[in-house]
Amino acid sequence: MRRLNRKKTLNLMKELDAFPKVPESYVEASVSGGTVSLIAFTTIAFLTIMEFTVYRDTWMKYEYEVDKDFTSKLRINIDITVAMRCQYVGADVLDLAETMVASADGLIYESVVFDLSPQQKEWQRMLQLIQSRLQEEHSLQDVIFKSAFKSASAALPPREDNSLQSPDACRIHGHLYVNKVAGNFHITVGKAIPHPRGHAHLAALVSHDSYNFSHRIDHLSFGELIPGIINPLDGTEKIASDHNQMFQYFITVVPTKLHTYKISAETHQFSVTERERVINHAAGSHGVSGIFMKYDISSLMVTVTEEHMPFWQFLVRLCGIIGGIFSTTGILHSFGRFVAEVIFCRFRLGSYRSTSVTLPDGHTSNHLPLITDNSTH
């Protein structure tokens, strides 16, 4: 009884077979079929390799939402070198809430030589080259996001030569925590002092001839410091053409959450426009000599996530490639054989066309003449 049920089950499974087997005696191999098969296998192999390359790659997904965090502090990372002595310049932040953040809260003043060493000049040249490419090809920013990790560093390398030149510049570097509102970070003549109506700088004791706000921005970023990320102003160098010159940078800061396979951090991107002019009160160009970075905070937050193709999607795409190529090449091969058979069939029929024979009574006969023994002599 069990054997009978098993036999019925096997017969039922055979009836459900969607892939019937054709006996080999009914299969006819041809040169054209072999050629098409070779082309199909080659195409499948090539597309499979390309698909595997796509599967291994990742891409960045951008999502936008309203930034609801308005109570936290904003960190500003600064590394700027000004071509003036440290005792002549002062840096601080003043925001729209009239809150003053002095440079003593986190910035370090270091006397250095303004001119770079050969190795540092090469670093600056490469950084400026990357900046120019980033402005032309925005997709390179995704590559920078992917390559960012905490153990890498894109900071200015230390001097490799022991310069005997006396320090003629001041490097201001470190970080400050400010309110998450629009503000103004500036470097100007004299140290900052508190003032009932804001703040002031002691610039009266500094001679105008010593003003020189030529500067180099080695690094400027907002939020968590992520080595490897290149910001828009990194590597910027400005040379002042006059003692009384103002450099202005208008910055829009965008809160950004970065999630990659190497790092997860909350940082900020920013865009910047710049302007510079000579202060000349007689010509109507008013202002204060110095470097002014006016920043504003965007109300939108960007979430950047690195994504990868799932393995099941890779298998589905791979099956689609293999099945599609087999089906397409089979259809093309069948259509080609059909066209070839039609053409050769007409050619054969044309070679056996009947000839007209004139009979003695004047009629014509389209039948082929019979071949007899007398006609062969």
Side-chain angles (χ1 to χ4, degrees), residues 51 55 308-320:
E51 191 66 24
Y55 169 71
H308 184 271
M309 180 188 297
F311 183 70
W312 65 266
Q313 187 175 354
F314 169 70
L315 291 180
V316 170
R317 292 166 63 99
L318 194 61
C319 292

Side-chain angles (χ1 to χ4, degrees), residues 121-131:
K121 289 182 179 179
E122 181 64 20
W123 173 87
Q124 185 186 39
R125 188 187 67 82
M126 291 298 299
L127 190 57
Q128 292 175 349
L129 178 61
I130 294 175
Q131 292 283 18

